[in-house]
Amino acid sequence: MIRMFKILMVSLALAFAINANSAAQSGDAKAGKQKSITCMACHGADGNSPVAQFPKIAGQVAGYIAAQLANFKSGERTDPIMGGIVGALSEQDMADLDAYYSEQQISGGSITADQEQQARAGEAVFRGGSAEFNVPACMGCHGPSGSGIPPNFPRLAGQHASYIETQLLAFKSGERNSPIMNPIAFPLSEQQIKQLALYISALH
């Protein structure tokens, strides 16, 4: 079952990538840098947010940021801060911001010595999934190094652990909707989610 799920996810990733690359609006990174001034307050000067509440968006896979901005604008994804920001953005603005941030270098994360055991438990799920709950390996969609698969499967490596944990809990509860992530996150325990988040945050 898990093997079949992995194959399905990889096939979806390739299909999404082909479709998006052929249809995505071309972005201008230089223009995106100028337009990123509003984003800096939460996401940092180069997309490396210094506050764990806000995600690092530097080095994100091309196409993902534009897609998420569009989701915020349409209301498919909700957030009180982002909802007020995206209203004035055009498709070109989103493409430009996407181009700029995808070219930036994400800062590396790290864990403490006392977190290593938990991170290793998270590694087992990231690389092997959970046969007990038919949960596929995270790397099937996000890559062995967590670098993501453009444009639909985002980079996770180096992200703030608490942000990853918050999003996985939102997928688990249904607060954040995704036909792929909801059934994956739902059977995971809060402890497993915390362990996964720690491991992913330390990936480079």
Side-chain angles (χ1 to χ4, degrees):
M1 178 71 178
I2 292 179
R3 184 179 179 185
M4 291 177 63
F5 198 100
K6 287 181 184 177
I7 294 172
L8 175 61
M9 291 298 98
V10 172
S11 298
L12 282 172
L14 293 173
F16 283 144
I18 292 170
N19 292 337
N21 287 340
S22 62
Q25 188 159 345
S26 178
D28 182 332
K30 186 177 292 185
K33 182 176 182 179
Q34 296 298 317
K35 296 173 182 179
S36 71
I37 295 174
T38 303
C39 313
M40 291 180 183
C42 294
H43 297 288
D46 60 352
N48 282 295
S49 169
V51 181
Q53 176 186 353
F54 306 114
K56 297 178 185 180
I57 54 178
Q60 190 51 269
V61 296
Y64 185 75
I65 290 175
Q68 295 307 302
L69 288 172
N71 287 344
F72 282 125
K73 186 167 184 174
S74 70
E76 181 177 336
R77 186 176 174 185
T78 59
D79 180 90
I81 297 176
M82 291 302 301
I85 291 174
V86 297
L89 295 180
S90 66
E91 287 187 17
Q92 187 61 56
D93 293 333
M94 296 178 196
D96 292 344
L97 288 167
D98 187 286
Y100 170 65
Y101 283 117
S102 66
E103 290 186 356
Q104 305 311 300
Q105 185 72 35
I106 189 171
S107 60
S110 62
I111 58 173
T112 61
D114 62 335
Q115 293 173 324
E116 186 173 348
Q117 186 174 354
Q118 289 196 74
R120 290 302 177 192
E123 179 182 18
V125 177
F126 184 86
R127 301 201 175 281
S130 173
E132 181 182 1
F133 299 112
N134 289 326
V135 172
C138 307
M139 70 177 188
C141 290
H142 298 284
S145 64
S147 58
I149 302 175
N152 295 80
F153 300 109
R155 177 190 178 94
L156 302 179
Q159 187 59 263
H160 295 299
S162 60
Y163 181 79
I164 295 172
E165 183 177 355
T166 297
Q167 296 309 306
L168 285 174
L169 288 172
F171 284 129
K172 178 180 174 68
S173 69
E175 179 185 347
R176 184 173 173 185
N177 182 52
S178 166
I180 295 175
M181 285 305 303
N182 293 142
I184 290 174
F186 179 75
L188 295 176
S189 68
E190 292 186 7
Q191 180 67 13
Q192 286 175 309
I193 287 173
K194 184 179 291 291
Q195 291 167 344
L196 261 175
L198 282 172
Y199 176 68
I200 290 169
S201 70
L203 281 173
H204 297 287

